[in-house]
Amino acid sequence: GGNIDETLIALDNVPVYNPYHLGSFFSMINTNIIEKEILYPSNYPNNFGGYLSGALNITTKPGSFEKTNTSVSIGLTSSKAFFETPIGKGSLILSARRTYFDLIIALFHKNFKGDFPYYFYDGFAKYNYPFDEENQISVSLLHSRDVFKMFDNKLYKNIDIKQEPAWGNDLYNFKYTHLFNNKISIDAQIYYSSSLFAANGKSIYNSNQTSTTIKNKIDDISSSLKLNYKLTGQDLQIGLEFRKINLLYNWNIGRSELSSFGFKPEE
C-alpha cells in the first residue's frame, strides 16, 4: 500500500534508487542476470531498514566457471544481449539492452516530421574471482539512462544544447567473502549507488538569454562488515555499517521557449 520510494529495491544488497525506465513501465534490471529474488513484505531484516513498505533483494548470477554462454533477444520495443564466460579461475557476466524506436524512425526520416524523441539503455557487468574455497571477491557495475530529446532545433529557434534531459543510475559494488566453515562466514562490502536527473539548455526570449538547468542527484557511498552464523532453520547476522548519502536538488527553469515545450510563453 506504500509509494514506490517506500519500498527498497536492492541489487546484491545495494539499494537502487529509481530502478525504472519510462516512468516505471520497465525495470532497468534485466531478468537474464537474476539468480533469485527475495521479497520481504514486512518483518524484513534490520539491514534493510529505513523503508516503510518492505524490501526486495535481487541476487545476480555468479556466472559460469566452466563454459561460455551467450543469448540475444529481439523484441518489439527493445533488444538485449547476455554473455557469460570463465576467465582464469573467475567468471565474467556482461548484459546490455537498448530501445531502438529512435533508430528505426531515423531510417525513414523523410517520411516523418521529426525523430522519435526518447530511448533508454542499460548495461551490467560482474566478475567473480575465487582465490580458493574460503575466499572470494566480486566486482560489479550497473549503468542505465533514459534520454528525452526535448531540445529540438526544429521547435526552438535560438537554442544552445549542452545536455538533453536524461535520468538513470550508476552502481559500483565490491564484495569480499571469507568462509571459516559451512556455518560461519564474513562479508565485507563497499559500494557506490547514484541516481541522476539532469538537463541543460540555453535559449533567447525577448532578446534576453535564459537557461533551463536541472540537476537532481542522490549519491550513496557505503561500506559494511558482517558476520554470518547459520543455525538450524535460522541465520544470525552481526555487523557494522557506514553510510554517507549526499542529496543535490537544483531545478532552475528560466522564462524562455524552453519552459513552454515549443510554444511561446504567455506575456
Side-chain angles (χ1 to χ4, degrees):
N3 201 4
I4 293 176
D5 60 352
E6 295 174 350
T7 301
L8 169 66
I9 307 295
L11 187 69
D12 293 329
N13 296 315
V14 178
V16 183
Y17 301 97
N18 190 26
Y20 306 101
H21 292 298
L22 194 60
S24 303
F25 281 98
F26 297 94
S27 170
M28 71 168 210
I29 301 174
N30 280 332
T31 56
N32 53 14
I33 68 172
I34 297 176
E35 181 183 38
K36 67 177 180 179
E37 300 172 316
I38 301 179
L39 175 64
Y40 301 95
S42 62
N43 298 324
Y44 44 84
N46 57 5
N47 59 300
F48 293 140
Y51 293 83
L52 299 177
S53 297
L56 174 64
N57 188 34
I58 301 171
T59 302
T60 58
K61 295 178 179 178
S64 176
F65 294 89
E66 299 178 355
K67 62 179 182 178
T68 299
N69 299 310
T70 304
S71 66
V72 177
S73 176
I74 300 176
L76 295 177
T77 59
S78 65
S79 293
K80 59 183 179 180
F82 175 77
F83 175 78
E84 62 177 352
T85 186
I87 297 181
K89 293 174 59 178
S91 65
L92 175 68
I93 292 178
L94 299 174
S95 177
R97 174 178 54 173
R98 191 192 193 280
T99 59
Y100 42 73
F101 274 151
D102 59 316
L103 301 178
I104 294 177
I105 290 181
L107 295 176
F108 304 95
H109 179 72
K110 295 181 180 180
N111 299 325
F112 292 87
K113 296 182 179 180
D115 298 332
F116 191 75
Y118 172 82
Y119 66 93
F120 71 74
Y121 64 91
D122 51 59
F124 176 80
K126 180 179 181 181
Y127 182 68
N128 280 323
Y129 185 82
F131 292 97
D132 47 43
E133 295 182 355
E134 290 82 25
N135 299 279
Q136 176 176 296
I137 63 170
S138 174
V139 181
S140 61
L141 61 90
L142 182 145
H143 175 75
S144 75
R145 284 294 182 271
D146 291 56
V147 179
F148 179 32
K149 295 182 286 186
M150 185 186 77
F151 298 156
D152 192 338
N153 289 316
K154 298 175 183 178
L155 294 177
Y156 306 113
K157 297 179 181 180
N158 303 287
I159 184 171
D160 178 19
I161 305 172
K162 289 188 176 180
Q163 181 179 5
E164 295 278 11
W167 58 96
N169 291 265
D170 292 291
L171 185 151
Y172 306 92
N173 183 26
F174 173 84
K175 183 179 180 181
Y176 166 74
T177 300
H178 175 74
L179 301 176
F180 292 98
N181 50 51
N182 59 354
K183 290 185 177 181
I184 304 175
S185 64
I186 284 182
D187 292 329
Q189 186 174 20
I190 300 174
Y191 69 79
Y192 168 77
S193 181
S194 173
S195 179
L196 171 70
F197 175 38
N200 194 346
K202 294 182 180 180
S203 181
I204 303 297
Y205 176 66
N206 286 347
S207 300
N208 296 318
Q209 180 174 279
T210 58
S211 64
T212 292
T213 303
I214 302 171
K215 190 170 185 180
N216 300 331
K217 192 175 184 182
I218 300 175
D219 283 333
D220 184 352
I221 304 173
S222 301
S223 60
S224 63
L225 180 64
K226 300 175 183 177
L227 173 65
N228 307 296
Y229 186 78
K230 292 185 178 181
L231 303 173
T232 303
Q234 294 182 344
D235 291 336
L236 176 64
Q237 187 176 85
I238 302 173
L240 300 173
E241 184 179 45
F242 170 80
R243 301 188 68 181
K244 181 179 180 181
I245 299 178
N246 297 321
L247 303 177
L248 175 64
Y249 183 80
N250 183 4
W251 190 285
N252 182 12
I253 300 180
R255 183 174 176 80
S256 70
E257 59 179 357
L258 298 181
S259 62
S260 57
F261 293 92
F263 300 96
K264 184 178 179 181
E266 296 180 0
E267 298 294 340

Coordinates of all heavy atoms in Angstrom, one line a residue, residues 112-161:
F112 N 8.7 11.2 -41.9 CA 8.3 11.7 -40.6 C 8.7 13.1 -40.4 O 9.6 13.6 -41.0 CB 8.8 10.8 -39.5 CG 8.3 9.4 -39.5 CD1 8.9 8.4 -40.3 CD2 7.2 9.1 -38.8 CE1 8.4 7.1 -40.3 CE2 6.7 7.8 -38.8 CZ 7.3 6.8 -39.5
K113 N 7.9 13.8 -39.6 CA 8.2 15.2 -39.3 C 9.3 15.4 -38.4 O 9.9 16.5 -38.3 CB 6.9 15.9 -38.7 CG 5.7 15.9 -39.7 CD 4.5 16.6 -39.1 CE 3.4 16.7 -40.1 NZ 2.2 17.3 -39.5
G114 N 9.7 14.4 -37.6 CA 10.8 14.5 -36.7 C 11.2 13.2 -36.2 O 10.6 12.1 -36.4
D115 N 12.3 13.2 -35.4 CA 12.8 11.9 -34.9 C 12.0 11.5 -33.6 O 11.3 12.4 -33.0 CB 14.3 12.1 -34.4 CG 15.2 12.4 -35.6 OD1 14.8 12.0 -36.7 OD2 16.2 13.1 -35.4
F116 N 12.0 10.2 -33.3 CA 11.4 9.8 -32.1 C 12.2 10.3 -30.9 O 13.4 10.0 -30.9 CB 11.3 8.2 -32.1 CG 10.5 7.7 -31.0 CD1 9.1 7.7 -31.1 CD2 11.0 7.1 -29.8 CE1 8.3 7.2 -30.0 CE2 10.3 6.6 -28.8 CZ 8.9 6.7 -28.9
P117 N 11.6 11.0 -30.0 CA 12.4 11.8 -29.0 C 12.9 11.0 -27.8 O 13.4 11.7 -26.9 CB 11.4 12.9 -28.6 CG 10.1 12.2 -28.7 CD 10.2 11.3 -29.8
Y118 N 12.7 9.7 -27.7 CA 13.1 9.0 -26.5 C 13.7 7.7 -26.7 O 13.3 7.0 -27.7 CB 11.8 8.8 -25.6 CG 12.0 8.0 -24.4 CD1 12.5 8.5 -23.2 CD2 11.6 6.6 -24.5 CE1 12.6 7.7 -22.1 CE2 11.8 5.8 -23.3 CZ 12.3 6.4 -22.2 OH 12.5 5.6 -21.1
Y119 N 14.7 7.3 -25.9 CA 15.2 6.0 -25.9 C 15.8 5.7 -24.5 O 16.1 6.7 -23.7 CB 16.2 5.8 -27.0 CG 17.5 6.6 -26.8 CD1 18.6 6.0 -26.1 CD2 17.6 7.9 -27.3 CE1 19.8 6.8 -26.0 CE2 18.8 8.6 -27.2 CZ 19.9 8.0 -26.5 OH 21.0 8.8 -26.4
F120 N 16.0 4.5 -24.1 CA 16.7 4.1 -22.9 C 17.6 3.0 -23.2 O 17.5 2.2 -24.1 CB 15.7 3.8 -21.8 CG 15.0 2.5 -21.9 CD1 15.6 1.3 -21.7 CD2 13.6 2.5 -22.1 CE1 14.9 0.1 -21.7 CE2 12.9 1.4 -22.2 CZ 13.5 0.1 -22.0
Y121 N 18.6 2.8 -22.3 CA 19.6 1.7 -22.4 C 20.1 1.4 -21.0 O 20.0 2.3 -20.1 CB 20.7 2.1 -23.3 CG 21.6 3.2 -22.9 CD1 22.7 3.0 -22.1 CD2 21.3 4.5 -23.2 CE1 23.5 4.1 -21.6 CE2 22.1 5.6 -22.8 CZ 23.2 5.4 -22.0 OH 24.0 6.4 -21.6
D122 N 20.6 0.2 -20.8 CA 21.2 -0.2 -19.5 C 22.2 -1.3 -19.8 O 22.2 -2.0 -20.8 CB 20.2 -0.6 -18.5 CG 19.2 -1.7 -19.0 OD1 19.7 -2.7 -19.4 OD2 18.0 -1.4 -19.0
G123 N 23.2 -1.4 -18.9 CA 24.2 -2.4 -19.0 C 24.7 -2.8 -17.6 O 24.6 -2.1 -16.6
F124 N 25.1 -4.1 -17.6 CA 25.6 -4.7 -16.3 C 26.8 -5.5 -16.6 O 26.9 -6.2 -17.6 CB 24.5 -5.5 -15.7 CG 24.9 -6.2 -14.5 CD1 24.9 -5.6 -13.2 CD2 25.2 -7.6 -14.5 CE1 25.3 -6.3 -12.1 CE2 25.6 -8.3 -13.3 CZ 25.6 -7.6 -12.1
A125 N 27.8 -5.5 -15.7 CA 29.0 -6.3 -15.8 C 29.3 -6.8 -14.4 O 29.2 -6.1 -13.4 CB 30.1 -5.6 -16.4
K126 N 29.8 -8.0 -14.3 CA 30.2 -8.6 -13.0 C 31.3 -9.6 -13.2 O 31.3 -10.4 -14.1 CB 29.0 -9.3 -12.3 CG 29.2 -9.9 -11.0 CD 28.0 -10.6 -10.4 CE 28.2 -11.2 -9.0 NZ 27.0 -11.8 -8.5
Y127 N 32.3 -9.6 -12.2 CA 33.4 -10.5 -12.3 C 33.5 -11.1 -10.9 O 33.7 -10.4 -9.9 CB 34.7 -9.8 -12.7 CG 35.8 -10.8 -12.8 CD1 35.9 -11.8 -13.8 CD2 36.9 -10.7 -11.9 CE1 36.9 -12.6 -13.9 CE2 38.0 -11.6 -12.0 CZ 38.0 -12.6 -13.0 OH 39.0 -13.4 -13.1
N128 N 33.5 -12.5 -10.9 CA 33.7 -13.2 -9.6 C 35.0 -13.9 -9.7 O 35.4 -14.5 -10.7 CB 32.6 -14.3 -9.4 CG 31.3 -13.7 -8.9 OD1 31.4 -12.8 -8.0 ND2 30.2 -14.2 -9.3
Y129 N 35.8 -13.8 -8.6 CA 37.1 -14.5 -8.6 C 37.3 -15.2 -7.3 O 37.4 -14.6 -6.2 CB 38.2 -13.5 -8.8 CG 39.6 -14.2 -8.9 CD1 40.0 -14.7 -10.1 CD2 40.4 -14.2 -7.8 CE1 41.2 -15.3 -10.2 CE2 41.6 -14.8 -7.9 CZ 42.1 -15.4 -9.1 OH 43.3 -16.0 -9.2
P130 N 37.3 -16.5 -7.3 CA 37.5 -17.3 -6.0 C 39.0 -17.6 -5.9 O 39.6 -18.3 -6.7 CB 36.7 -18.6 -6.2 CG 36.7 -18.8 -7.7 CD 36.8 -17.4 -8.3
F131 N 39.7 -17.0 -4.9 CA 41.1 -17.3 -4.6 C 41.3 -18.8 -4.3 O 42.2 -19.4 -4.7 CB 41.6 -16.4 -3.5 CG 41.6 -14.9 -3.9 CD1 40.6 -14.1 -3.5 CD2 42.7 -14.4 -4.6 CE1 40.7 -12.7 -3.8 CE2 42.8 -13.1 -4.9 CZ 41.8 -12.3 -4.6
D132 N 40.3 -19.2 -3.4 CA 40.4 -20.7 -3.0 C 38.9 -21.0 -2.5 O 38.0 -20.2 -2.7 CB 41.4 -20.9 -1.9 CG 41.4 -19.9 -0.8 OD1 40.3 -19.5 -0.4 OD2 42.5 -19.4 -0.4
E133 N 38.8 -22.1 -1.8 CA 37.5 -22.5 -1.3 C 37.0 -21.6 -0.2 O 35.8 -21.5 0.0 CB 37.5 -23.9 -0.9 CG 37.8 -24.9 -2.0 CD 37.7 -26.3 -1.5 OE1 37.6 -26.5 -0.3 OE2 37.9 -27.3 -2.3
E134 N 37.9 -20.8 0.4 CA 37.4 -20.0 1.6 C 37.3 -18.5 1.2 O 36.7 -17.8 2.0 CB 38.4 -20.2 2.7 CG 38.4 -21.5 3.4 CD 39.2 -22.6 2.7 OE1 40.1 -22.1 1.9 OE2 38.9 -23.8 2.8
N135 N 37.9 -18.0 0.2 CA 38.0 -16.6 -0.1 C 37.5 -16.3 -1.6 O 38.0 -17.0 -2.5 CB 39.4 -16.1 0.1 CG 39.9 -16.3 1.5 OD1 39.6 -15.5 2.4 ND2 40.7 -17.3 1.7
Q136 N 36.7 -15.3 -1.7 CA 36.2 -14.9 -3.0 C 35.9 -13.4 -3.0 O 35.5 -12.8 -2.0 CB 34.9 -15.7 -3.3 CG 34.3 -15.2 -4.6 CD 33.0 -16.1 -5.0 OE1 33.1 -17.3 -5.2 NE2 31.9 -15.5 -5.0
I137 N 36.2 -12.8 -4.2 CA 35.8 -11.4 -4.4 C 34.9 -11.3 -5.5 O 34.8 -12.1 -6.4 CB 37.1 -10.5 -4.6 CG1 37.8 -10.9 -5.9 CG2 38.0 -10.5 -3.5 CD1 38.8 -9.9 -6.4
S138 N 34.1 -10.2 -5.5 CA 33.1 -10.0 -6.6 C 33.1 -8.5 -6.8 O 33.0 -7.7 -5.9 CB 31.7 -10.5 -6.2 OG 30.7 -10.1 -7.1
V139 N 33.2 -8.1 -8.1 CA 33.1 -6.7 -8.5 C 32.1 -6.6 -9.6 O 32.0 -7.4 -10.6 CB 34.5 -6.3 -9.1 CG1 34.4 -4.8 -9.5 CG2 35.6 -6.5 -8.1
S140 N 31.2 -5.6 -9.4 CA 30.1 -5.5 -10.4 C 29.8 -4.0 -10.6 O 30.1 -3.1 -9.8 CB 28.8 -6.2 -9.9 OG 28.3 -5.6 -8.7
L141 N 29.2 -3.7 -11.8 CA 28.8 -2.3 -12.1 C 27.6 -2.3 -12.9 O 27.3 -3.3 -13.7 CB 29.9 -1.5 -12.8 CG 30.5 -2.0 -14.1 CD1 29.7 -1.4 -15.3 CD2 31.9 -1.7 -14.2
L142 N 26.7 -1.3 -12.8 CA 25.5 -1.2 -13.5 C 25.4 0.3 -13.9 O 25.7 1.2 -13.2 CB 24.3 -1.6 -12.6 CG 22.9 -1.5 -13.3 CD1 22.0 -2.7 -12.7 CD2 22.2 -0.2 -13.0
H143 N 24.9 0.5 -15.2 CA 24.7 1.8 -15.7 C 23.4 1.8 -16.5 O 23.2 1.0 -17.3 CB 25.9 2.2 -16.6 CG 25.7 3.5 -17.3 ND1 25.8 4.8 -16.6 CD2 25.4 3.8 -18.6 CE1 25.6 5.7 -17.5 NE2 25.4 5.2 -18.7
S144 N 22.6 2.8 -16.3 CA 21.3 3.0 -17.1 C 21.0 4.4 -17.3 O 21.3 5.3 -16.5 CB 20.2 2.3 -16.3 OG 19.8 3.1 -15.2
R145 N 20.4 4.7 -18.4 CA 20.0 6.1 -18.8 C 18.7 6.1 -19.6 O 18.5 5.2 -20.5 CB 21.1 6.8 -19.6 CG 22.3 7.3 -18.8 CD 21.9 8.4 -17.8 NE 23.0 8.9 -17.1 CZ 23.5 8.3 -15.9 NH1 22.9 7.3 -15.4 NH2 24.5 8.9 -15.3
D146 N 17.8 7.0 -19.3 CA 16.7 7.4 -20.2 C 17.0 8.7 -20.8 O 17.4 9.7 -20.0 CB 15.4 7.5 -19.4 CG 14.9 6.1 -18.9 OD1 15.7 5.4 -18.2 OD2 13.8 5.8 -19.2
V147 N 16.9 8.9 -22.1 CA 17.2 10.2 -22.7 C 15.9 10.7 -23.4 O 15.3 9.9 -24.3 CB 18.3 10.0 -23.7 CG1 18.6 11.3 -24.4 CG2 19.6 9.5 -23.0
F148 N 15.5 11.9 -23.1 CA 14.4 12.5 -23.7 C 14.9 13.7 -24.6 O 15.3 14.7 -24.0 CB 13.4 13.0 -22.7 CG 12.2 13.7 -23.2 CD1 11.6 13.4 -24.4 CD2 11.6 14.7 -22.5 CE1 10.5 14.0 -24.9 CE2 10.4 15.4 -22.9 CZ 9.9 15.0 -24.2
K149 N 14.8 13.6 -25.9 CA 15.4 14.6 -26.8 C 14.4 15.7 -27.0 O 13.8 15.9 -28.0 CB 15.8 14.0 -28.1 CG 17.0 13.0 -27.9 CD 17.4 12.4 -29.3 CE 16.4 11.4 -29.8 NZ 16.9 10.7 -31.0
M150 N 14.2 16.5 -25.9 CA 13.2 17.6 -25.9 C 13.7 18.8 -26.6 O 12.9 19.6 -27.2 CB 12.9 17.9 -24.4 CG 11.7 18.9 -24.3 SD 11.5 19.4 -22.6 CE 12.8 20.5 -22.3
F151 N 15.0 19.1 -26.5 CA 15.5 20.3 -27.0 C 15.8 20.2 -28.5 O 16.9 20.0 -29.0 CB 16.8 20.7 -26.3 CG 16.7 21.0 -24.9 CD1 17.8 20.9 -24.0 CD2 15.5 21.4 -24.3 CE1 17.6 21.1 -22.7 CE2 15.3 21.6 -23.0 CZ 16.4 21.5 -22.2
D152 N 14.7 20.3 -29.3 CA 14.8 20.1 -30.8 C 15.0 21.4 -31.5 O 14.2 22.4 -31.2 CB 13.5 19.4 -31.3 CG 13.6 18.9 -32.7 OD1 14.4 19.4 -33.4 OD2 12.8 18.0 -33.0
N153 N 16.0 21.5 -32.3 CA 16.3 22.7 -33.0 C 15.2 23.1 -34.0 O 15.1 24.2 -34.4 CB 17.6 22.5 -33.8 CG 18.8 22.5 -32.9 OD1 18.9 23.3 -32.0 ND2 19.7 21.6 -33.2
K154 N 14.4 22.1 -34.3 CA 13.2 22.4 -35.2 C 12.1 23.1 -34.5 O 11.3 23.8 -35.1 CB 12.7 21.2 -35.9 CG 13.8 20.5 -36.8 CD 13.3 19.2 -37.3 CE 14.4 18.5 -38.1 NZ 13.9 17.1 -38.6
L155 N 12.0 22.9 -33.2 CA 11.0 23.5 -32.4 C 11.4 24.9 -31.8 O 10.6 25.8 -31.7 CB 10.6 22.6 -31.2 CG 9.9 21.3 -31.6 CD1 9.6 20.4 -30.4 CD2 8.6 21.5 -32.4
Y156 N 12.7 24.9 -31.4 CA 13.2 26.1 -30.8 C 14.1 26.9 -31.7 O 15.0 26.3 -32.3 CB 14.0 25.7 -29.5 CG 13.2 24.9 -28.6 CD1 13.5 23.6 -28.3 CD2 12.1 25.4 -27.9 CE1 12.8 22.8 -27.5 CE2 11.3 24.6 -27.1 CZ 11.7 23.3 -26.8 OH 10.9 22.5 -26.0
K157 N 13.9 28.2 -31.8 CA 14.6 29.0 -32.8 C 16.0 29.3 -32.4 O 17.0 29.2 -33.2 CB 13.8 30.3 -33.1 CG 12.5 30.1 -33.7 CD 11.7 31.4 -33.9 CE 10.4 31.2 -34.4 NZ 9.7 32.5 -34.6
N158 N 16.2 29.6 -31.2 CA 17.5 30.0 -30.7 C 17.9 29.2 -29.5 O 17.5 29.5 -28.4 CB 17.6 31.5 -30.3 CG 17.1 32.4 -31.5 OD1 17.9 32.6 -32.5 ND2 15.9 32.9 -31.4
I159 N 18.6 28.1 -29.7 CA 18.9 27.2 -28.6 C 20.3 26.7 -28.6 O 20.9 26.5 -29.7 CB 17.9 26.0 -28.6 CG1 18.1 25.1 -27.4 CG2 18.1 25.2 -29.9 CD1 17.1 24.0 -27.3
D160 N 20.9 26.6 -27.5 CA 22.2 26.1 -27.3 C 22.1 24.9 -26.4 O 21.9 25.1 -25.2 CB 23.2 27.1 -26.8 CG 24.6 26.6 -26.6 OD1 24.9 25.6 -27.2 OD2 25.3 27.3 -25.8
I161 N 22.3 23.7 -26.9 CA 22.1 22.5 -26.1 C 23.4 22.0 -25.5 O 24.4 21.8 -26.2 CB 21.5 21.4 -26.9 CG1 20.2 21.8 -27.6 CG2 21.2 20.1 -26.0 CD1 19.7 20.8 -28.6

